[in-house]
Amino acid sequence: MGKEAALRDGVSRRDFIKTCVAATAIMGLPYSMHTKVAEAAQRANKPPVIWLHFQECTGCSESLLRSNHPDIASVILDTLSLDYHETLMIGSGAQAEKSLHDSMHANHGKYILVVEGAIPTKDKGIYCKVGGMTAVDSLTKAAEGAAAIIAIGTCAAYGGIQSSPPNPTGAMGVRDIIKNKPIINIPGCPPSPYNFLSTVLYYLTFNKLPELDSLGRPKFAYGRKIHEHCERRPHFDAGRFAVAYGDKTHAEGYCLYKLGCKGPATYANCSVQRFNDVGVWPVSVGHPCIGCTEPDILFKKPIAEKLQIHLPTPPDTYAPADLGQKGPGVSPLATGVVGIAGGLALGAGAMLTKKLPTGEETHEKHE
Ligand code: FSX
Ligand code: SF4
Ligand code: F3S
């Protein structure tokens, strides 16, 4: 993206650099690397992208393109050559099909295939068809000429809600069907738009795929449990739990573990990166994490079910609270508030930069 293009599209140079700085921090790179990342985003030769939709709610595209600020969408749309995207393209029917086939042919072996949504495999795949082709056939055909595949959202990565028991359509993730291509999973329902952006920028900056964990997720974004950085963590450590929605314990910001929070087993960066450009995430607004980045938790374990914690991890961002401090000392509410304030002050990027996942430490300890 050139400076002119960015300004034309309503994104100032400052916002563009700010977005690159945030993406650089998520990748766990030093601050100074943002200039290299910005350079990569502005290169003239945009990689072609074919984006397929299958069984899903389109929330992944929505969260990516309708973020509060236009920065992320603009950077993505200006950095990539989005040749085919069913919900964004103007053309339809035979015209759209032609552009898909033309792009696959012209860019054979070079394009990035982005898949959104699960793929139904039962009854010869008849439960999802586009242009007369089943999702399985469309995926297999598009995957043949792809340099790499990004499965965006938990549906495309692992099957998502469609694959929850009894999985009537035999819904699966991309990795269950395509075995001979590099696949990067960006789970979340929907995923953080920054995790997709950072993955694309990593690829463009270093010309290689980021290091992945055993579930195919970039370690830089999914290398740690949200429980380690949660602002309610001091309450968890002090044994102060919300016991019902809307009661005093909930209103005072106590830990949501007893309401079913899956944070202690969920690998993601939402407690650090947060959403909607206003610093919120599910737990900060009072809802337990439902483990939306985890194939064995999302829609597999009841939302209200209490998680068994097998391998506890120590807190990382917020200081533990003193178990004995019940009386006139620091109140439970205050520890939560201090935690939130600390999180906002430190900033997501700074924390992630300091807390790079190290080597093998990820899913050996997966619970
Ligand atoms: Fe799935 Fe994407 Fe959940 Fe929806 O399209 S990951 S249902 S929020 O958004 O695929
Ligand atoms: Fe936060 Fe949930 Fe962990 Fe409690 S259980 S500290 S609410 S992530
Ligand atoms: Fe998903 Fe849990 Fe984050 S539900 S958005 S992984 S807090």
Side-chain angles (χ1 to χ4, degrees):
M1 177 179 69
K3 184 179 173 185
E4 301 72 24
L7 293 172
R8 183 197 62 218
D9 295 342
V11 179
S12 68
R13 178 77 187 160
R14 196 165 164 269
D15 285 342
F16 169 69
I17 293 296
K18 229 170 80 187
T19 305
C20 290
V21 167
T24 306
I26 289 174
M27 290 181 229
L29 299 171
Y31 174 80
S32 59
M33 280 296 289
H34 78 268
T35 47
K36 214 173 161 197
V37 172
E39 270 168 37
Q42 293 173 96
R43 266 184 220 130
N45 56 335
K46 302 176 180 182
V49 170
I50 292 174
W51 192 303
L52 299 180
H53 289 261
F54 298 128
Q55 289 179 305
E56 34 89 8
C57 75
T58 313
C60 304
S61 284
E62 289 281 341
S63 71
L64 198 64
L65 302 174
R66 301 202 180 180
S67 46
N68 277 13
H69 296 296
D71 323 7
I72 303 177
S74 298
V75 171
I76 286 172
L77 293 176
D78 282 333
T79 302
L80 304 171
S81 167
L82 195 53
D83 290 2
Y84 182 87
H85 186 299
E86 280 144 14
T87 41
L88 293 181
M89 62 199 302
I90 295 169
S92 61
Q95 191 191 18
E97 285 304 297
K98 185 174 179 316
S99 79
L100 172 62
H101 296 129
D102 288 352
S103 176
M104 287 199 305
H105 185 69
N107 300 303
H108 193 88
K110 288 184 285 195
Y111 58 85
I112 300 172
L113 175 63
V114 180
V115 180
E116 184 173 343
I119 302 98
T121 56
K122 205 164 158 188
D123 299 329
K124 298 190 180 147
I126 57 165
Y127 300 111
C128 179
K129 282 186 168 183
V130 178
M133 273 174 87
T134 65
V136 181
D137 288 344
S138 301
L139 170 65
T140 311
K141 193 165 173 212
E144 265 169 34
I149 303 174
I150 299 179
I152 186 168
T154 301
C155 301
Y158 313 123
I161 189 166
Q162 293 71 221
S163 67
S164 53
N167 194 354
T169 65
M172 292 182 176
V174 174
R175 67 179 188 156
D176 301 314
I177 295 164
I178 304 298
K179 304 288 182 189
N180 60 351
K181 293 284 169 179
I183 298 171
I184 308 166
N185 290 328
I186 311 287
C189 190
S192 161
Y194 270 104
N195 290 347
F196 178 79
L197 174 71
S198 305
T199 301
V200 168
L201 291 179
Y202 186 100
Y203 182 65
L204 297 181
T205 306
F206 301 107
N207 207 20
K208 64 174 185 178
L209 304 181
E211 196 183 349
L212 306 178
D213 71 6
S214 60
L215 292 171
R217 308 176 288 197
K219 282 187 179 179
F220 63 66
Y222 300 87
R224 287 180 171 263
K225 292 175 187 172
I226 63 167
H227 185 58
E228 294 167 40
H229 302 284
C230 177
E231 64 262 42
R232 292 179 192 252
R233 181 64 191 259
H235 294 308
F236 175 90
D237 291 329
R240 290 184 291 252
F241 299 102
V243 290
Y245 289 100
D247 82 348
K248 195 165 174 283
T249 56
H250 188 235
E252 291 202 341
Y254 286 6
C255 168
L256 303 173
Y257 173 71
K258 288 192 177 171
L259 294 177
C261 184
K262 308 295 188 289
T266 298
Y267 287 82
N269 56 357
C270 19
S271 54
V272 176
Q273 182 54 37
R274 301 173 180 242
F275 290 88
N276 299 338
D277 303 307
V278 289
V280 297
W281 64 296
V283 168
S284 76
V285 293
H287 199 283
C289 167
I290 61 170
C292 79
T293 60
E294 296 291 335
D296 297 334
I297 298 179
L298 182 69
F299 307 121
K300 305 275 178 0
K301 290 196 194 304
I303 289 173
E305 188 178 289
K306 223 173 357 149
L307 186 84
Q308 291 298 315
I309 302 178
H310 303 294
L311 288 170
T313 40
D316 204 1
T317 302
Y318 303 101
D322 179 359
L323 265 176
Q325 63 180 214
K326 286 248 157 103
V330 181
S331 76
L333 178 60
T335 55
V337 171
V338 166
I340 294 166
L344 292 175
L346 279 172
M351 283 189 282
L352 269 179
T353 308
K354 280 192 289 181
K355 303 296 175 191
L356 253 181
T358 52
E360 295 309 303
E361 62 134 359
T362 48
H363 294 289
E364 294 72 44
K365 61 178 183 182
H366 193 255
E367 294 164 11

